Amino acid sequence: MKNGKKPLHVVMFPWLAMGHIIPFFHLSKCIAQRGHKVTFISTPRNIERLDKVPSDIAHLLNIISIPLPKVENLPDHAESSMDIPYQKAQFLKIAFDLLETPLITFLENLSDPKPDWIVYDYASHWLPQRARDLGVSCAFFSLFTAATMAFFGPPQVLLNDERSIPEDYTVLPNWIPFETDVKYRLHEIKKNFEAPADESGISDGARFGGSIDGSDVVLFRTCVEFEPEWFNLVSELFQKPVISIGVLPPSVEDLGRSSNDTTWLSIKKWLDMQNQSSVVYVALGTEATLSQTELNELALGLEKCGLPFFWVIRNQPKLNQEEPQILPDGYEERVKNRGIIYRGWVPQAKILSHLSVGGFLTHCGWNSVIEALCFGRVLIMFPVMNDQGLNTRLLQGKGVGVEISRNENDGLFTSESVAETVKFAVVSEEGETLRANARQMRGLFGDWNKNGSLIDDCVGYLMEKRGQKYSS
């Protein structure tokens, strides 16, 4: 290292969801680009889904594959949450917990050099103590906003599972000292309760609580300037060092990679034919599951809005197979001159960067929100599960998008509300304030220098504090 300090060796161990694995891998590359050794650990099928490591850092970024143990009720091919319906998530967590022994065995034998830090995810509640036994410092990497983590509460609340019914999540908890709309609607949090909570023997709340409580530092994928009140609050609630690493925006290199692949070229050709800021990009992530009624209303709403749209639909994993989502009769024929229905993976950041895109109809997963705001795209918000409802309230409060109106209790909505909300956000005079606010976010979310300096600060902290343990 230029400053004479010994380089770090950082181990990265994400939860088994692509929305977690990809940011962990992104951060791994950022740390390696600064001259430090990184060991990235996941399962074989998930590793196959990652981009190749850039050649200039291949000697510093070592990818390790540990087979996922077989578990009853989990299909053989399922190594990620995108491979299963969300009701089966607990079985994936059982398999994940069985990685503890092979992971620790690997870490015990990892001595060239010995790891300084292990950066881990919310599901690894067992990892901090095992790492401590090995003399390795622990960093919990939150891929959730500070607002979400503050709403979930301090570690002791999470460990004790103090909120036991969906209605508990529809009101502000007493540890939030200011007025805010950041809370769940009943239909959103009900979905989180649908999966059997006790199959793995430990709740998500207890996983979060243990992962935070056992950490020496908490890293956040967020900008303090975007949610300062929440960042300050979460620092108080966690009672330990909390660091913003920025939002890990897609880089010029990321956007340029595979720019000649046939998938992107065919999409770009269509986008190039559309007017500037006219296209509604629609994508609800890799895990969101819509009922047939919801799918129909969304489809009819996009048809009624009159705007060109590019809608990414993926098959939804069922018990042991994938079943296609069925659009209304004759739908694709009716919209073929104005709308594209795309089944499969797309380069989302590249699409959002295209000048023809005027708005993004999104489930408000934090990864997707970051990509949209990097390019200043106004959000049409349709939360489905997990933290998405909380993100939606936060973003609506920041004035960068508008939510499709739904029934509070059952989540029902109409095609008319879809059409009206899309037009309001993308083309109406009244929606210009939202569009201007979203464009302004490019200076925060899309500034690589600003975000890069936060990673520099984080790496500096990890170098300074390696080997030290935080005691509350």
Side-chain angles (χ1 to χ4, degrees), residues 24-63:
F24 264 75
F25 189 57
H26 193 153
L27 180 58
S28 299
K29 290 187 286 187
C30 291
I31 294 171
Q33 283 160 354
R34 286 156 175 79
H36 302 278
K37 181 177 172 64
V38 180
T39 300
F40 182 93
I41 303 173
S42 192
T43 62
R45 195 159 187 248
N46 289 320
I47 286 171
E48 286 172 10
R49 290 165 163 151
L50 295 172
D51 290 334
K52 283 191 167 58
V53 177
S55 58
D56 60 326
I57 57 169
H59 63 295
L60 290 169
L61 179 45
N62 189 25
I63 298 182

Side-chain angles (χ1 to χ4, degrees), residues 81-384:
S81 55
M82 70 183 284
D83 300 326
I84 53 172
Y86 68 90
Q87 294 92 338
K88 279 188 169 282
Q90 286 292 317
F91 299 112
L92 191 62
K93 286 177 178 130
I94 292 170
F96 181 77
D97 289 342
L98 292 173
L99 288 171
E100 177 180 355
T101 298
L103 175 69
I104 298 305
T105 300
F106 173 79
L107 292 177
E108 285 172 339
N109 295 318
L110 194 59
S111 58
D112 187 25
K114 180 186 167 185
D116 298 296
W117 287 87
I118 184 159
V119 180
Y120 60 94
D121 214 329
Y122 84 95
S124 319
H125 63 104
W126 39 263
L127 186 50
Q129 185 56 55
R130 299 301 303 270
R132 185 163 273 111
D133 294 342
L134 295 173
V136 180
S137 299
C138 292
F140 169 59
F141 183 20
S142 171
L143 298 173
F144 303 87
T145 63
T148 292
M149 295 308 296
F151 181 87
F152 286 167
Q156 292 312 310
V157 167
L158 291 162
L159 286 164
N160 294 328
D161 279 336
E162 292 185 12
R163 289 180 281 195
S164 57
I165 58 172
E167 286 76 7
D168 291 339
Y169 289 86
T170 63
V171 294
L172 272 189
N174 58 16
W175 55 81
I176 295 179
F178 45 79
E179 280 299 309
T180 175
D181 291 328
V182 177
K183 55 193 173 189
Y184 281 103
R185 304 204 198 287
L186 189 59
H187 71 89
E188 295 163 348
I189 193 63
K190 271 183 182 173
K191 190 159 265 190
N192 290 11
F193 274 78
E194 283 177 20
D198 56 357
E199 295 285 353
S200 73
I202 185 159
S203 68
D204 279 357
R207 289 179 187 274
F208 272 107
S211 296
I212 296 163
D213 197 45
S215 67
D216 298 305
V217 61
V218 178
L219 311 179
F220 267 93
R221 188 190 185 191
T222 190
C223 292
V224 177
E225 301 97 313
F226 181 68
E227 45 172 352
E229 68 282 26
W230 292 106
F231 198 85
N232 291 337
L233 177 58
V234 88
S235 301
E236 291 172 23
L237 294 175
F238 289 0
Q239 290 291 295
K240 62 179 58 196
V242 174
I243 295 175
S244 161
I245 66 156
V247 298
L248 300 176
S251 65
V252 174
E253 292 78 15
D254 292 333
L255 293 172
R257 193 173 295 124
S258 305
S259 57
N260 292 321
D261 72 67
T262 52
T263 298
W264 168 238
L265 289 176
S266 65
I267 293 170
K268 183 178 183 298
K269 183 179 178 182
W270 184 83
L271 291 172
D272 286 344
M273 293 189 294
Q274 311 307 316
N275 292 330
Q276 186 167 332
S277 302
S278 68
V279 174
V280 184
Y281 173 59
V282 186
L284 300 177
T286 56
E287 296 179 30
T289 303
L290 300 186
S291 69
Q292 191 59 57
T293 300
E294 290 173 327
L295 189 74
N296 288 348
E297 291 301 315
L298 186 58
L300 295 173
L302 290 170
E303 183 178 8
K304 289 175 182 177
C305 78
L307 297 171
F309 62 87
F310 189 100
W311 184 6
V312 180
I313 295 183
R314 66 176 293 272
N315 288 339
Q316 299 177 1
K318 300 298 179 184
L319 293 182
N320 286 305
Q321 62 197 20
E322 291 204 341
E323 295 180 7
Q325 301 183 70
I326 301 167
L327 293 168
D329 284 346
Y331 181 78
E332 293 188 60
E333 181 63 27
R334 294 199 305 272
V335 302
K336 67 180 182 183
N337 295 324
R338 180 166 57 81
I340 296 287
I341 314 294
Y342 196 96
R343 291 175 172 84
W345 178 88
V346 297
Q348 179 164 287
K350 285 183 186 174
I351 293 173
L352 287 166
S353 72
H354 198 282
L355 292 176
S356 70
V357 174
F360 181 16
L361 199 164
T362 172
H363 60 324
C364 286
W366 190 226
N367 291 332
S368 289
V369 167
I370 286 168
E371 289 183 339
L373 295 182
C374 279
F375 302 108
R377 304 302 178 218
V378 71
L379 304 171
I380 302 124
M381 299 184 284
F382 186 83
V384 181

